[in-house]
Amino acid sequence: MKSHRVEKKNFRDEEEKLLRPIRNSPLSIFFQNDELRYTRICNPLPGMEGADVLDKTDEDLFSPENAARLTGLKKRALRGETLIKEELSLAHDGEDFFFELSAEPVRNKMGSITGIAGVLVDVSDRKRVETSLSRSEELLQRVFDAIPDLLSVQNRDLQILYSNWHGGYGYVSPEHRKGHSFCYDAYYPGTGKPCEPCHVLEAFRTGKTVFLEKINPRVGHVEAHAYPVFDDSGEVVLVIEHIRDISERKSSEERLAKINEVFLGFGADADENINRLVALCGEQLHAGCALYNRLDNGWLKAVGQWHTPPDFPPQDKPEGHICHDVMQGNSESIWVLRDLPATSYAETDPNVMRYGLKTYIGKAVSFGGVNIGTLCVVYQQDYHPSENEKQLLGIIAGAISIEEKRKRAEEDIRLLNAELEKRVAERTAELEVANRELEAFNYSVSHDLHSPLMILEGFSRELINRYADQLDENGRYYLERIQSAGRRMEGLIDAILRLSTLSRSTIQREKVSLSSTVLLLATDLRQREPERPVEITIQPDLFVYGDKKLLKIAVENLLSNAWKYTSKTPAAVIEFGCQNKNGEQVYFVRDNGVGFSMQHADSLFIPFGRLHSKEEFPGHGIGLATVKRIVEGHGGKLWGEGEAGKGATFYFTLP
């Protein structure tokens, strides 16, 4: 019994050794019973697992169409026929796959057919290759014929085995086209030898792709490529030659280089630049002469000239001239007039017959939507311009338009500068007068108003000192009110003077530490009222560039306001810091004092505007107005946010 199990294990091991290479092959080996149900399978078709296939028929596994094809062939094997590489196609996802099926019947000891054994091989890739190869010759022919450049295949003797004779090589004779002529006999008849250097010979010699630029006397500038073709041993047996006519490209490159030279040489003088453009137009269009005529004060003036005759008139009446008619037409049209003596311009334009002109090409130059001149080239022979030449003339006319625009803009700027200088001088004089008047007013306020106040305050003091015992309580109260009003008036006058002085201050910018300034001011406030437990937070290392003296006044007013309006708050908190808003540094002073309603936010910065009575919170009402003038004088902004009973925050920016 034990030996039987060993023998069975050895059989399975041998079977596995046999199946392992089969599993790694593209073969699908299968066994089916007499009902065509799979009993064993190795390598099911892609997407299937062996366990999913066993005990199923093709009808269970495939679409009806595919199952019918497979079953039809297998039933032949089930009837005793041996199938060898029967071809069939199976459709999947709209694509046909090709297989070869080999199968034969499986018989029992009695000779009865009990099923079939078979092999299914995927030959789709081979079929595609065969189809592709069958079409390759036709496809190659179509490719060669579709390419506008010259393509040829040459052997080691430089014989042309095939060519499409394109790319300007249509001049090759029919005799040379029919036979396998040598390339030099076909391309350069009568030379009897290859050209130097020969790109095809170089490709045979080096086995590398060769690229050369050369000149064919019959074609012009050409690009020549030679691509080696190798046999199985690595030897070059053929060379594919590709030649492209680049004559037009070379001409364009030369034209572009000249245009770049002209444009890069532009200077500040617009008239000189226009002359350079006119010369460029004449040269590139191979003209007899070139002109830029501009309509100026009723005259047709030759502003730009190239190769004009010595006696050519610099200006003339415009009527009858071709250039004048071009200006009257569409600004985008390019005029081409040939056989000029046969046109009406032979009588109306004096230059036609005077200089024997035959051809005229021109385009209007416009500025601000109005045609102001004409760029033209003329010939003493018949000339038919190419589309590229007409396009170039249009481009140069556009460049002249730009120069005209620049010239007029410079003139406008010159006039504007002169006007601005005049206005600045007038405004400066007005400001000087205003400053003198303001200084006189300040002197008047300081002297003329202070003097009566001092007299009023002095006499009221004398009344109290000398006659207080003769006055009743109401009298003494009235004198105290007089003195208080005088002091308040004196404070208002001083505030007006300070505000006026700020408006005339010149800002001297330097690096200022706002953090240090606020710290010193906070220390001073605490020393004045040491009994107040105010928590003050200052963000360190905040630096700006501005007027140190003015910025100190600004933050002093903001900090003093915060100190004042938190005086009735038990746990007062004042904070100075900076935050980033939309990429901008915004500084702030925040407190938790009485605050204000946002309905009155705009009135906070009006001089002498107050939201609280002086008895409740003393002051003159110019603190925030002072801060606003200083911040705006630095080019910054100031605004406030608050809520009644919940504190206020004042923000400012300094560029």
Side-chain angles (χ1 to χ4, degrees):
M1 191 70 178
K2 182 178 179 182
S3 61
H4 177 71
R5 287 198 303 269
V6 171
E7 184 178 339
K8 191 174 181 179
K9 180 180 181 300
N10 291 337
F11 174 78
R12 285 198 301 268
D13 291 343
E14 291 299 321
E15 183 182 38
E16 179 61 27
K17 290 179 182 178
L18 179 64
L19 291 177
R20 189 177 297 119
I22 295 176
R23 289 195 185 99
N24 296 325
S25 72
L27 305 178
S28 178
I29 302 174
F30 61 88
F31 294 88
Q32 290 175 278
N33 61 19
D34 55 357
E35 294 179 357
L36 291 182
R37 291 185 179 277
Y38 288 94
T39 58
R40 297 193 70 184
I41 187 164
C42 181
N43 290 352
L45 293 182
M48 296 181 181
E49 296 292 338
D52 299 332
V53 174
L54 294 179
D55 203 33
K56 289 185 174 63
T57 65
D58 291 325
E59 285 83 356
D60 299 328
L61 300 171
F62 298 98
S63 67
E65 295 81 2
N66 290 340
R69 293 173 186 172
L70 285 166
T71 304
L73 289 172
K74 292 176 180 180
K75 282 182 178 180
R76 288 167 52 191
L78 204 56
R79 291 194 294 268
E81 185 179 346
T82 299
L83 307 179
I84 300 176
K85 293 186 178 181
E86 292 283 345
E87 292 188 358
L88 77 155
S89 63
L90 301 178
H92 181 66
D93 289 341
E95 185 177 358
D96 287 335
F97 292 86
F98 298 92
F99 298 89
E100 286 181 349
L101 175 64
S102 299
E104 63 179 23
V106 176
R107 302 175 187 271
N108 59 17
K109 294 179 180 180
M110 303 300 295
S112 300
I113 297 175
T114 60
I116 65 172
V119 177
L120 193 66
V121 182
D122 186 351
V123 294
S124 300
D125 290 340
R126 192 189 75 195
K127 277 289 184 181
R128 293 189 186 99
V129 171
E130 289 175 354
T131 302
S132 177
L133 288 174
S134 66
R135 297 174 181 171
S136 61
E137 185 174 353
E138 178 186 354
L139 180 61
L140 181 62
Q141 181 67 43
R142 290 183 181 180
V143 169
F144 268 53
D145 290 341
I147 294 175
D149 304 331
L150 174 77
L151 287 178
S152 73
V153 179
Q154 299 179 27
N155 61 19
R156 280 191 167 274
D157 294 328
L158 302 186
Q159 287 179 297
I160 300 176
L161 306 181
Y162 177 82
S163 178
N164 61 358
W165 306 112
H166 291 174
Y169 284 78
Y171 67 85
V172 176
S173 66
E175 293 77 14
H176 284 127
R177 294 190 189 192
K178 290 178 182 178
H180 292 166
S181 300
F182 297 107
C183 63
Y184 45 86
D185 287 337
Y187 301 158
Y188 313 110
T191 58
K193 62 178 182 179
C195 60
E196 291 291 342
C198 179
H199 48 285
V200 176
L201 283 177
E202 186 68 11
F204 273 115
R205 186 182 69 82
T206 63
K208 297 180 180 179
T209 299
V210 178
F211 166 75
L212 295 174
E213 281 192 13
K214 56 175 62 178
I215 297 177
N216 181 318
R218 301 287 291 272
V219 179
H221 287 274
V222 297
E223 280 182 350
H225 297 259
Y227 305 96
V229 178
F230 303 89
D231 62 11
D232 293 340
S233 65
E235 183 179 357
V236 181
V237 292
L238 297 172
V239 167
I240 298 175
E241 178 186 43
H242 173 208
I243 296 181
R244 172 171 294 172
D245 180 1
I246 59 170
S247 300
E248 186 63 31
R249 192 189 80 191
K250 281 291 184 181
S251 298
S252 298
E253 289 175 354
E254 293 171 0
R255 185 181 297 119
L256 182 61
K258 182 62 178 178
I259 292 172
N260 286 337
E261 179 185 348
V262 170
F263 278 89
L264 292 174
F266 275 3
D269 190 336
D271 288 335
E272 179 60 28
N273 294 340
I274 289 173
N275 266 307
R276 291 171 66 89
L277 289 167
V278 171
L280 174 67
C281 188
E283 292 172 357
Q284 294 302 314
L285 270 71
H286 314 289
C289 66
L291 289 166
Y292 168 52
N293 288 319
R294 184 171 62 207
L295 198 59
D296 193 359
N297 294 324
W299 289 89
L300 193 65
K301 294 184 178 181
V303 179
Q305 302 182 48
W306 178 77
H307 286 188
T308 53
D311 62 342
F312 189 83
Q315 64 180 34
D316 201 353
K317 289 292 183 182
E319 290 76 14
H321 280 268
I322 306 175
C323 285
H324 183 251
D325 288 352
V326 173
M327 272 185 270
Q328 303 304 309
N330 189 319
S331 62
E332 299 301 320
S333 299
I334 294 180
W335 286 43
V336 179
L337 300 176
R338 301 166 70 187
D339 195 13
L340 287 174
T343 68
S344 60
Y345 290 111
E347 298 179 2
T348 62
D349 191 328
N351 296 324
V352 172
M353 302 308 295
R354 181 186 300 165
Y355 300 110
L357 305 182
K358 299 291 179 61
T359 304
Y360 173 99
I361 307 169
K363 184 183 183 301
V365 172
S366 59
F367 174 73
V370 178
N371 294 340
I372 61 171
T374 300
L375 171 67
C376 69
V377 291
V378 293
Y379 304 80
Q380 292 178 320
Q381 72 279 355
D382 183 56
Y383 189 81
H384 183 67
S386 67
E387 289 301 318
N388 285 342
E389 288 176 326
K390 289 191 286 185
Q391 184 181 20
L392 177 60
L393 184 139
I395 292 172
I396 295 175
I400 291 176
S401 175
I402 293 172
E403 286 300 308
E404 287 281 19
K405 183 178 181 180
R406 185 169 71 86
K407 181 179 179 180
R408 298 191 182 198
E410 289 174 352
E411 179 63 19
D412 290 343
I413 290 172
R414 188 187 65 79
L415 294 175
L416 181 61
N417 285 339
E419 179 65 20
L420 286 175
E421 289 175 2
K422 179 182 176 183
R423 291 184 181 182
V424 168
E426 293 173 352
R427 182 61 177 158
T428 301
E430 292 173 359
L431 287 174
E432 288 175 352
V433 171
N435 283 334
R436 285 195 296 270
E437 291 176 351
L438 185 60
E439 288 175 2
F441 171 76
N442 288 342
Y443 177 81
S444 175
V445 169
S446 177
H447 184 270
D448 297 347
L449 294 183
H450 268 99
S451 294
L453 283 175
M454 291 174 63
I455 294 171
L456 181 65
E457 196 274 335
F459 279 112
S460 63
R461 186 174 62 253
E462 287 297 315
L463 281 173
I464 291 175
N465 292 338
R466 295 186 182 186
Y467 305 104
D469 55 345
Q470 301 179 25
L471 297 174
D472 59 10
E473 186 176 349
N474 285 337
R476 288 191 295 274
Y477 171 73
Y478 294 150
L479 280 175
E480 289 174 358
R481 290 292 301 274
I482 291 172
Q483 285 188 313
S484 176
R487 287 192 296 272
R488 188 167 69 255
M489 185 64 181
E490 186 175 12
L492 287 173
I493 293 170
D494 292 338
I496 292 172
L497 290 174
R498 287 198 301 273
L499 202 59
S500 172
T501 303
L502 282 175
S503 301
R504 294 181 288 114
S505 298
T506 301
I507 294 176
Q508 303 292 332
R509 293 186 182 270
E510 61 180 301
K511 189 175 182 180
V512 179
S513 173
L514 289 183
S515 299
S516 299
T517 303
V518 173
L519 179 61
L520 291 173
L521 293 170
T523 302
D524 184 58
L525 288 171
R526 281 200 173 104
Q527 289 174 349
R528 292 182 197 174
E529 298 183 66
E531 71 281 359
R532 284 191 60 188
V534 180
E535 179 184 342
I536 300 178
T537 303
I538 302 171
Q539 184 175 333
D541 301 325
L542 294 181
F543 293 91
V544 295
Y545 280 89
D547 190 296
K548 187 174 183 179
K549 180 180 177 182
L550 294 178
L551 290 178
K552 180 183 178 182
I553 294 172
V555 293
E556 182 177 15
N557 277 285
L558 291 175
L559 203 64
S560 296
N561 275 358
W563 183 272
K564 177 168 60 177
Y565 290 111
T566 57
S567 62
K568 302 182 185 304
T569 304
V573 177
I574 299 174
E575 180 184 1
F576 171 74
C578 178
Q579 58 192 38
N580 189 292
K581 285 190 176 182
N582 300 321
E584 186 177 28
Q585 295 294 103
V586 178
Y587 305 91
F588 64 87
V589 174
R590 180 180 293 124
D591 66 68
N592 63 343
V594 295
F596 60 88
S597 171
M598 290 299 292
Q599 294 178 345
H600 305 109
D602 292 338
S603 63
L604 291 172
F605 306 103
I606 299 174
F608 309 109
R610 296 178 55 84
L611 299 182
H612 305 280
S613 67
K614 64 180 183 300
E615 288 78 12
E616 187 179 10
F617 294 103
H620 300 297
I622 67 164
L624 290 176
T626 300
V627 177
K628 183 177 176 65
R629 291 197 180 185
I630 292 173
V631 170
E632 291 181 348
H634 280 75
K637 295 177 293 184
L638 173 70
W639 69 97
E641 296 177 2
E643 186 176 350
K646 294 187 178 181
T649 304
F650 288 91
Y651 299 94
F652 63 95
T653 63
L654 294 170

